[in-house]
């Protein structure tokens, strides 16, 4: 989102719009998350980073950052339906995810009966800090908002998730989906938001309990403190492949540059 635009996209299944929360200190996490989505998807994806600096420059976000906001997208995530032009379905996801399955399978879960769909975690972390020392907070429905399928055109989303509201409403109102009735919050399987250190694979039922999207919610291998966390090897492998692709493209680019010679 170098220049901020709203992404009406296609309201059908032709293109799945995915908005990833972006924080400059987690650029590597964003790049890996993006690659993990694109390389496994069987349908076209439009991936849009939600950068707070762009939103502020466009006067779409103006709230002061509070001490409990561990990332720059703590609140900007709720602008997803607005940025999707309140059309069709779109996904918001934190940048600290690694996708292991086809995003088409996640998109297929959308259900027009609901305004939003997410994993209904029961999660109460015991640590007082996370990531690179950010304050860890505990509140009802924690991590529900970290991966959300938004029915962007739902009347309640249109009414509630405006730039004004996202810049002024309380954290409780937004993160607990208090603009919705409980019956309007659909549920998706936990394997699409598999919390490292919390969710577990059941050896007796790996088909239904193995992660489709790993969420390094307390911190991932890009932070020194979590370099040896569970599933760090999978994230590091994705990063290595990403870097190898970048190097190959640079070599190809350099090879196409013809040296100048004297006439």
């Amino acid at each position: 989102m170098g220049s901020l635009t709203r992404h009406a996209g296609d309201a059908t299944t032709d293109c799945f719009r995915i908005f990833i929360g972006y924080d400059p200190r987690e650029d590597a996490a964003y790049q890996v998350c993006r690659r993990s989505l694109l390389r496994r998807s069987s349908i076209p994806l439009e991936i849009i980073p939600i950068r707070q600096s762009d939103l502020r420059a466009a006067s779409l976000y103006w709230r002061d950052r509070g001490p409990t906001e561990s990332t720059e997208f703590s609140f900007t995530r709720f602008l997803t339906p607005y940025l999707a032009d309140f059309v069709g379905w779109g996904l918001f996801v934190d940048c600290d995810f690694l996708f292991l399955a086809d995003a088409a399978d996640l998109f297929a879960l959308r259900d027009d009966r609901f305004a939003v769909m997410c994993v209904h975690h029961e999660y109460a972390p015991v640590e007082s800090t996370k990531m690179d020392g950010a304050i860890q907070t505990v509140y009802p429905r924690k991590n529900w908002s970290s991966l959300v399928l938004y029915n962007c055109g739902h009347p309640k989303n249109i009414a509630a998730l405006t730039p004004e509201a996202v810049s002024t409403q309380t954290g409780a109102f937004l993160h607990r989906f208090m603009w919705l009735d409980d019956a309007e919050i659909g549920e998706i399987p936990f394997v699409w938001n598999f919390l490292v250190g919390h969710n577990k694979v059941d050896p007796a039922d790996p088909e239904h309990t193995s992660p489709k999207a790993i969420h390094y919610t307390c911190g991932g291998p890009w932070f020194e403190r979590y370099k040896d966390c569970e599933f760090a090897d999978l994230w590091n492998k994705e990063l290595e492949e990403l870097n190898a692709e970048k190097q190959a493209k640079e070599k190809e680019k350099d090879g196409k540059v013809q040296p100048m010679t004297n006439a």
Side-chain angles (χ1 to χ4, degrees), residues 34-259:
R34 179 180 182 275
R35 180 184 188 271
S36 72
L37 280 161
L38 288 171
R39 82 181 188 93
R40 293 176 175 88
S41 182
S42 62
I43 61 174
L45 304 180
E46 181 184 10
I47 296 182
I48 306 102
I50 296 183
R51 290 190 172 97
Q52 188 182 124
S53 57
D54 290 344
L55 295 168
R56 289 189 182 279
S59 299
L60 295 177
Y61 184 76
W62 55 87
R63 75 188 299 153
D64 294 332
R65 184 164 180 173
T68 60
E69 293 178 49
S70 58
T71 67
E72 288 196 359
F73 50 86
S74 291
F75 289 106
T76 56
R77 69 184 69 218
F78 297 104
L79 287 170
T80 292
Y82 175 88
L83 295 173
D85 212 25
F86 294 120
V87 172
W89 284 80
L91 177 74
F92 171 82
V93 61
D94 286 2
C95 66
D96 54 355
F97 272 71
L98 176 68
F99 282 80
L100 304 179
D102 189 341
D105 296 336
L106 177 57
F107 192 32
L109 298 176
R110 68 198 187 285
D111 187 331
D112 287 334
R113 293 177 298 167
F114 304 113
V116 302
M117 300 180 70
C118 63
V119 176
H120 292 191
H121 286 297
E122 293 184 9
Y123 176 61
V126 297
E127 303 91 345
S128 59
T129 61
K130 61 180 180 177
M131 300 164 71
D132 53 356
I135 296 172
Q136 177 70 277
T137 56
V138 180
Y139 51 86
R141 295 180 172 176
K142 184 173 177 67
N143 261 318
W144 286 31
S145 64
S146 58
L147 180 144
V148 183
L149 275 168
Y150 280 98
N151 184 355
C152 299
H154 191 282
K156 287 193 175 180
N157 290 335
I158 294 173
L161 299 182
T162 62
E164 173 76 25
V166 173
S167 290
T168 58
Q169 278 287 0
T170 66
F173 177 85
L174 294 168
H175 285 281
R176 300 180 199 177
F177 303 114
M178 291 176 66
W179 71 93
L180 300 172
D181 297 329
D182 287 354
E184 295 166 323
I185 305 171
E187 187 169 7
I188 62 177
F190 79 93
V191 292
W192 286 105
N193 190 344
F194 191 102
L195 303 179
V196 172
H198 175 70
N199 293 125
K200 301 296 179 184
V201 178
D202 182 354
D205 189 17
E207 181 181 354
H208 297 103
T209 61
S210 295
K212 295 180 183 292
I214 298 170
H215 185 187
Y216 301 88
T217 181
C218 288
W222 55 96
F223 290 121
E224 178 65 24
R225 178 178 171 184
Y226 295 97
K227 64 180 182 180
D228 297 317
C229 69
E230 188 180 15
F231 301 116
D233 57 330
L234 297 181
W235 190 90
N236 285 322
K237 183 175 184 292
E238 196 85 21
L239 178 64
E240 291 170 3
E241 292 173 356
L242 173 64
N243 288 334
E245 288 175 359
K246 288 181 177 179
Q247 292 173 2
K249 288 179 181 178
E250 285 297 318
K251 288 182 179 179
E252 182 181 357
K253 180 180 176 182
D254 291 343
K256 290 180 179 179
V257 177
Q258 299 297 320

